Amino acid sequence: MPYVIQTNHLTKSVGNKEIVKDISLHVKKGEIYGFLGPNGAGKTSVMKMITNLWKPTGGNVELFGEVLTPKSYGVLKRMGSIIEFPVFYGHMTGRENLKIHCEYMGYYAPRAVEDALEMLELTADADRPVKNYSLGMKERLGIARAVLCRPELLILDEPTNGLDPAGMKQIRSLLKNLCAEYGVTIMISSHILSEIESIADTVGIIAKGRMIEEISMAAVEEMNLAYIELGITDVKRAAFVLSEKCGLNNFKIMEGGKIRIYDKKAVPGEVSRTLALNDVEVTEIGKKAENLEDYFLKLTKTENGKSVGGK
């Protein structure tokens, strides 16, 4: 089985509006796949089609090598998911909500509910009505329900909404452990790029309903996108000096009077000295490296700096 999830030219229209167009993504067995995109980009729509909540207008979804249909009950039993905000029976306790989910799924492992509650640190509140849970507690209960039946695949749409930094760290550790120790394949969407960068093996970047790029985090790191960043008072003069006096062509003028030099032969001290000798004041200089956020922003912005996508 080459991929646990594969979408083939997936398209979805609602009325006359095309929400998602021609999305082909590939999630390998045993990896964490980060699904990134600006708000309004179509991430949730794609996840709804992968979990069979929405039917595509065009294209299809393959799960575990099988094309998803309305009768793919066996395949869907191998999956746990949170799409948008998790919904529960508010008058029932957290423990009762998990027990009834086991009944729905036909899953009767003796300690399944207790293990899920312990894993998400909800044991102390397990017998309180869910209507009295905080937003963060409901989010954790949703993740507990998603992992309850030991799925082979987890689909998580913004699973850390409402969590404080400690809670977010806990969920990151949990997802890493599920992947590393139990071989669970995980697809997670988030608008917090640092969160994805810390756990993902592969990222898919979507904007305006279209897939822009799929790339492994290893490939992002191997790009070695190191650069020298300069703070300059006269950007036009500095660009001339860098090109004509320093022989550098691989640089980019940024907002706020900054220039990034990507040329590997550039040496900060020599660049600063040459600029000073040519009457260009340097207010700051330092070596930096691009991260996933830089890479994401570069892909999802147009030349004039406006976002090309909006979740």
Side-chain angles (χ1 to χ4, degrees):
M1 180 196 313
Y3 301 108
V4 171
I5 306 173
Q6 180 172 334
T7 70
N8 305 295
H9 309 290
L10 199 61
T11 299
K12 178 66 177 180
S13 298
V14 176
N16 295 323
K17 184 177 181 181
E18 197 168 55
I19 300 173
V20 168
K21 183 174 178 62
D22 201 35
I23 296 289
S24 295
L25 60 80
H26 312 81
V27 181
K28 299 174 185 174
K29 180 178 174 60
E31 77 169 350
I32 298 178
Y33 183 100
F35 198 34
L36 300 174
N39 288 335
K43 302 188 300 296
T44 298
S45 299
V46 171
M47 287 181 149
K48 283 181 175 179
M49 288 185 278
I50 290 173
T51 53
N52 224 16
L53 295 174
W54 275 10
K55 304 299 180 286
T57 307
N60 62 37
V61 176
E62 293 181 40
L63 297 179
F64 303 101
E66 297 181 23
V67 175
L68 190 63
T69 73
K71 296 184 178 181
S72 296
Y73 308 121
V75 168
L76 293 172
K77 278 192 172 185
R78 300 165 70 181
M79 177 197 303
S81 65
I82 298 177
I83 303 297
E84 295 184 318
F85 190 75
V87 177
F88 301 97
Y89 295 105
H91 66 286
M92 297 173 67
T93 67
R95 179 178 277 110
E96 288 169 341
N97 270 277
L98 295 186
K99 284 182 177 180
I100 200 169
H101 183 71
C102 285
E103 293 288 339
Y104 290 152
M105 299 295 289
Y107 187 79
Y108 302 105
R111 279 194 52 84
V113 170
E114 299 309 315
D115 287 346
L117 289 168
E118 288 175 14
M119 193 180 297
L120 277 300
E121 298 183 3
L122 286 167
T123 303
D125 298 290
D127 295 313
R128 290 174 54 198
V130 171
K131 65 183 178 183
N132 297 330
Y133 279 21
S134 67
L135 176 62
M137 289 170 64
K138 288 178 181 177
E139 200 69 47
R140 282 190 285 139
L141 186 62
I143 296 171
R145 185 173 63 188
V147 302
L148 179 61
C149 300
R150 296 294 175 94
E152 297 170 59
L153 170 64
L154 268 178
I155 307 291
L156 303 175
D157 184 22
E158 303 271 5
T160 57
N161 275 347
L163 299 183
D164 59 19
M168 292 170 65
K169 184 178 180 181
Q170 176 196 8
I171 299 307
R172 287 198 301 269
S173 297
L174 171 63
L175 296 181
K176 285 181 179 179
N177 184 59
L178 288 172
C179 187
E181 298 296 325
Y182 298 98
V184 178
T185 303
I186 300 170
M187 181 181 184
I188 174 174
S189 73
S190 178
H191 65 280
I192 305 173
L193 274 67
S194 59
E195 176 184 319
I196 294 297
E197 186 172 24
S198 67
I199 63 172
D201 300 296
T202 302
V203 294
I205 299 174
I206 183 176
K208 280 194 173 178
R210 295 176 180 267
M211 181 68 80
I212 298 176
E213 185 164 10
E214 277 188 314
I215 187 169
S216 70
M217 284 304 303
V220 173
E221 292 166 5
E222 287 171 6
M223 287 178 184
N224 191 27
L225 299 175
Y227 58 89
I228 299 169
E229 185 167 273
L230 304 169
I232 299 293
T233 55
D234 187 341
V235 172
K236 288 185 179 179
R237 174 70 178 167
F240 172 79
V241 173
L242 291 174
S243 178
E244 299 300 322
K245 304 295 183 180
C246 298
L248 303 174
N249 295 306
N250 191 8
F251 60 86
K252 183 177 180 180
I253 297 172
M254 311 297 291
E255 294 180 358
K258 294 186 183 296
I259 294 179
R260 290 183 180 179
I261 303 171
Y262 294 92
D263 200 314
K264 291 183 179 180
K265 68 182 180 182
V267 178
E270 293 180 4
V271 169
S272 180
R273 186 164 48 252
T274 303
L275 288 168
L277 290 172
N278 287 272
D279 301 320
V280 178
E281 182 182 352
V282 179
T283 59
E284 60 179 296
I285 184 169
K287 292 197 80 169
K288 298 184 179 182
E290 288 190 349
N291 55 21
L292 179 61
E293 183 173 13
D294 296 314
Y295 188 72
F296 171 82
L297 291 174
K298 184 161 55 177
L299 287 177
T300 57
K301 284 183 179 288
T302 59
E303 292 180 1
N304 63 6
K306 293 182 179 178
S307 174
V308 300
K311 176 176 158 173

